[in-house]
Amino acid sequence: MSEAFLEVRNASKSFGTATVLDGVALEVAQGEFVSLLGPSGCGKTTLLRIIAGLTTAESGAVILDGQDITTRPPHKRDVGVVFQNYALFPHLSVAENIGFGLRGRVARNESASIVTRFLELVRMNDFADRSVRALSGGQQQRVAVARALAVAPKLLLLDEPFSALDRKLRETMQMELKRLLRELGTTAIFVTHDQDEALVMSDRIAVMNQGRIEQLDSPQALYDRPATPFALQFVGLSTRIFGEVTSVEADGTIAVTTVHGILRTQGRFARGSPVLLGIRPERISFGTREGCNNIAPRLADIVFQGARVQAHFASTEDEPILLETSARLPTDIAPNAVLPISWAPEDTLVFPRTADS
Amino acid sequence: MNQDRSLIGWLAVPAVAYLVFVYALPLLWLLARSITGPEGISFALFRDFFADPFSWRVIGNTMRIAGLVTLVCLLVGYPVAFALARAKGVVQVILLAAIILPLSVGVVVKAFAWQVVLRRDGVVSQFLVGIGVWSEPQRLLFTETGLVIGAANVFLPFMILPIYSVVKLIDPRLMEAGATLGVGPFRRLFRILLPLTLPGVVSGIAFVFSLAVSMFVIPSLLIGDRFQTLATLTGRSFLLMRNEALGSVTATVLLVLAVMIVLLSSLLARRAGRFS
């Protein structure tokens, strides 16, 4: 990414004594769809509001399309926002809402044709003259997206736009939005606390925690190679095992002593370092395998999920060991059976153990 | 269900009966009195009234003062309603108390207080001379300006409260949404806030105008007999001149004007609130 279309430099913000953003930097390329993913209170909405100009950062800069817009008021930024509650104008019709930002900016007949085009794009043509109050959540959401896109903003920000929709509608809307943004080539930043949503929609995901971006990566890289224990835990399921490095071999293999015995992985750690191991559930399989980490924990629960089956194994640590497979399990497994399971050393993620992990 | 509803209707009977006896019947008597001539029904009294230039001056006085009082209340009250709606916690409680508590002070007391304030040596005069706006002390008491100031003070809460109740329900994000659509602050005010607050503004105008058009005590104390409005003229006709015919005519004219304004404003409100 040589040329950043949007660049946020060192943005900080605190409310009273609480630091909400702690020197955040973010670069987004033109046409890219980036999600800000994190738990509530991680600062993702504040970052969004700073980019839109609705909140002023205490320090830092926002550069959009080569222009420093740090001190520009929101109406001069060319940054559209889809709000969490949609914030549609209740006194206006669907068409008037979509055309709101066009009045005084383009000619009346041109405005009308843009409104018609966006009504079609979000499939709301039959509702043009309806009151927005009479619309369902999904319809309101479409109008809000159309209203924001009708003025052709350089950048579109979306603040948890699907959080009020039920699951099925949410999935449909995610696909629709993705298609629409790709068609229009709009650069977008999407705030969500829903990891599935972020994984499905984004070109890149910024995982945020306590006012910082912990990792900014493609969905796959984020899942396969989480940079921090927080990223590991927040995106996807995982088994976490604490241990201590007891030997380091010449080829980079380290042996970690844990409650499940010695487990091997690759990493650059000194002997004696406390570490956290993480394993994705689909990387673990039943049976003993040569050259793998083999353990034999006690089965605690089997959760049938349709396409996949999850096996929970008891562990002396707080969290269970999770195994996920698309294979069907034999029906005669005893509830408390001790079963051998294994995973490859290269599928064992390793992190330095910190105070909060 | 039906029976419940009809039973609930009976709850209004005492109030309705009371209003019929002390309000509707006297009003009917008043109206009847204004169209009764020596030989049955006659509009001669109205003809005489409207033929007299003095009557038109009185109507003009009434409408001008009520209009000005309403305008002042609107200009002062609108921002206050916003401050009140957006204030939080203790500040809001204090503001609300500051607006509602004065309602418990009688109009006579307030009018007398304004007499003191608006005198030649009153606070207002001293202040304006002090900051150099006036070169010498002047009296605002017994002037139209003084009357408008005093009346606006008394009726201000009736403008603030209906607007406040509407503003309170407006999502602050609507203005932010307008901004992110590239619309500047001034246009946002006219295209978002004003339309959304219009129902409150209209009911505030209806309240204040109907109060101001019919006020009697305030003009009596703040401007005196040389300046007549329909209400003070009605009062004088009945109390001083013992001219029931004139009194009933002026009362009827006043009633018709006030009802027209209220009906017109609620019609406007319904139009403005197309989707509300």
Side-chain angles (χ1 to χ4, degrees):
Chain A
M1 208 179 53
S2 53
E3 194 89 335
F5 185 62
L6 169 79
E7 190 185 347
V8 179
R9 285 183 200 151
N10 191 31
S12 292
K13 175 79 184 175
S14 47
F15 294 111
T17 53
T19 304
V20 181
L21 278 187
D22 190 5
V24 164
L26 177 69
E27 290 192 6
V28 177
Q30 189 151 22
E32 205 180 11
F33 190 112
V34 172
S35 289
L36 306 179
L37 173 67
S40 59
C42 71
K44 54 192 193 298
T45 295
T46 305
L47 179 56
L48 198 81
R49 291 179 61 86
I50 286 170
I51 297 170
L54 300 171
T55 298
T56 318
E58 275 134 30
S59 67
V62 182
I63 290 114
L64 178 65
D65 197 14
Q67 289 175 306
D68 187 333
I69 57 168
T70 312
T71 55
R72 242 186 241 183
H75 64 279
K76 290 181 179 162
R77 287 194 177 205
D78 257 346
V79 174
V81 179
V82 175
F83 291 85
Q84 189 168 11
N85 68 348
Y86 315 134
L88 297 178
F89 303 120
H91 57 302
L92 300 177
S93 69
V94 168
E96 286 167 334
N97 262 279
I98 296 176
F100 191 87
L102 295 168
R103 216 173 91 179
R105 199 189 286 197
V106 299
R108 197 171 283 261
N109 54 350
E110 193 186 337
S111 160
S113 73
I114 294 175
V115 169
T116 309
R117 178 167 161 247
F118 276 92
L119 278 168
E120 278 164 14
L121 275 175
V122 297
R123 295 190 281 118
M124 290 291 290
N125 350 16
D126 298 339
F127 298 88
D129 297 320
R130 295 271 190 96
S131 159
V132 291
R133 296 185 199 203
L135 302 180
S136 71
Q139 291 169 333
Q140 289 192 24
Q141 208 271 321
R142 289 200 187 105
V143 176
V145 169
R147 181 181 67 176
L149 287 173
V151 293
K154 285 178 179 168
L155 175 69
L156 182 67
L157 309 177
L158 303 109
D159 187 7
E160 309 221 15
F162 304 127
S163 60
L165 308 180
D166 63 63
R167 189 188 164 133
K168 199 140 197 185
L169 184 58
R170 189 161 55 206
E171 284 170 3
T172 315
M173 298 299 296
Q174 285 168 0
M175 288 303 122
E176 264 185 39
L177 178 67
K178 211 176 159 179
R179 171 185 59 84
L180 187 61
L181 292 178
R182 202 183 303 129
E183 270 176 37
L184 298 168
T186 310
T187 312
I189 297 179
F190 183 92
V191 158
T192 183
H193 64 268
D194 182 339
Q195 47 146 323
D196 294 326
E197 195 165 84
L199 290 174
V200 166
M201 302 197 64
S202 321
D203 295 320
R204 286 191 303 154
I205 299 172
V207 176
M208 290 189 69
N209 185 31
Q210 297 180 338
R212 291 176 162 278
I213 292 180
E214 297 227 345
Q215 186 172 7
L216 178 58
D217 240 322
S218 72
Q220 194 179 332
L222 185 65
Y223 186 84
D224 290 343
R225 293 183 301 279
T228 64
F230 178 82
L232 167 78
Q233 211 185 359
F234 200 75
V235 179
L237 294 170
S238 57
T239 296
R240 303 191 309 159
I241 302 167
F242 295 102
E244 194 183 297
V245 178
T246 41
S247 77
V248 179
E249 286 157 36
D251 62 350
T253 303
I254 54 173
V256 180
T257 304
T258 71
V259 291
H260 301 288
I262 290 176
L263 301 174
R264 281 170 208 286
T265 182
Q266 298 271 326
R268 298 169 66 118
F269 288 92
R271 251 187 85 174
S273 338
V275 292
L276 169 68
L277 302 179
I279 312 107
R280 295 295 188 191
E282 72 280 3
R283 299 288 172 186
I284 306 178
S285 52
F286 286 107
T288 309
R289 281 181 295 166
E290 194 60 38
C292 282
N293 290 316
N294 291 293
I295 63 172
R298 188 176 296 279
L299 185 64
D301 214 348
I302 288 181
V303 181
F304 180 69
Q305 293 181 321
R308 289 160 167 274
V309 179
Q310 232 175 47
H312 296 217
F313 292 91
S315 167
T316 43
E317 315 221 7
D318 297 344
E319 299 161 52
I321 295 169
L322 292 179
L323 177 155
E324 209 171 80
T325 174
S326 54
R328 287 291 183 255
L329 299 185
T331 47
D332 57 352
I333 296 180
N336 277 314
V338 171
L339 296 171
I341 56 172
S342 59
W343 66 91
E346 58 267 29
D347 288 332
T348 314
L349 304 161
V350 57
F351 306 94
R353 189 170 170 181
T354 52
D356 55 283
S357 58
Chain B
M1 192 65 209
N2 248 347
Q3 201 166 4
D4 287 356
R5 216 171 271 171
S6 64
L7 280 177
I8 281 174
W10 284 102
L11 293 175
V13 165
V16 169
Y18 174 77
L19 282 177
V20 164
F21 279 104
V22 308
Y23 188 70
L25 288 180
L27 197 64
L28 277 177
W29 176 84
L30 188 81
L31 292 176
R33 184 72 192 76
S34 70
I35 53 170
T36 313
E39 296 114 31
I41 293 179
S42 138
F43 292 97
L45 288 171
F46 283 97
R47 209 167 43 233
D48 294 347
F49 177 78
F50 287 120
D52 187 349
F54 174 73
S55 307
W56 287 103
R57 205 159 68 233
V58 172
I59 292 174
N61 285 346
T62 312
M63 301 300 278
R64 185 174 66 252
I65 292 296
L68 282 172
V69 169
T70 311
L71 186 69
V72 170
C73 282
L74 182 61
L75 294 180
V76 175
Y78 196 80
V80 175
F82 269 88
L84 187 63
R86 298 281 183 256
K88 290 190 177 71
V90 186
V91 180
Q92 191 177 43
V93 172
I94 291 171
L95 280 176
L96 260 178
I99 291 158
I100 291 171
L101 279 184
L103 290 175
S104 62
V105 178
V107 169
V108 180
V109 177
K110 268 190 242 180
F112 271 121
W114 277 108
Q115 279 199 342
V116 178
V117 172
L118 299 173
R119 278 192 318 225
R120 192 182 302 277
D121 57 351
V123 182
V124 175
S125 177
Q126 283 179 7
F127 175 73
L128 289 175
V129 171
I131 63 169
V133 175
W134 285 351
S135 50
E136 58 186 61
Q138 288 181 38
R139 149 179 81 75
L140 279 170
L141 189 60
F142 306 127
T143 67
E144 283 190 36
T145 313
L147 174 59
V148 170
I149 292 173
N153 164 258
V154 176
F155 299 139
L156 192 57
F158 298 98
M159 182 64 81
I160 295 173
L161 292 175
I163 299 177
Y164 158 71
S165 66
V166 173
V167 174
K168 208 173 48 172
L169 300 176
I170 297 178
D171 180 0
R173 251 169 248 142
L174 293 180
M175 287 297 269
E176 294 187 345
T180 61
L181 291 167
V183 179
F186 198 64
R187 280 161 173 268
R188 290 205 293 276
L189 176 70
F190 278 92
R191 293 179 57 196
I192 304 172
L193 277 190
L194 287 184
L196 285 174
T197 50
L198 205 56
V201 169
V202 169
S203 47
I205 287 175
F207 274 135
V208 173
F209 191 88
S210 52
L211 286 169
V213 87
S214 59
M215 62 184 173
F216 175 75
V217 175
I218 303 169
S220 305
L221 291 173
L222 291 187
I223 199 161
D225 286 343
R226 281 175 306 133
F227 185 88
Q228 286 297 326
T229 65
L230 283 168
T232 55
L233 188 58
T234 308
R236 271 170 71 85
S237 310
F238 279 108
L239 301 173
L240 264 123
M241 304 190 284
R242 301 283 168 198
N243 185 345
E244 283 181 18
L246 177 63
S248 55
V249 165
T250 52
T252 306
V253 171
L254 177 58
L255 183 71
V256 169
L257 284 175
V259 168
M260 261 169 46
I261 295 290
V262 172
L263 284 183
L264 200 71
S265 56
S266 59
L267 194 76
L268 280 174
R270 199 165 302 170
R271 270 221 182 155
R274 185 165 49 120
F275 288 132
S276 42

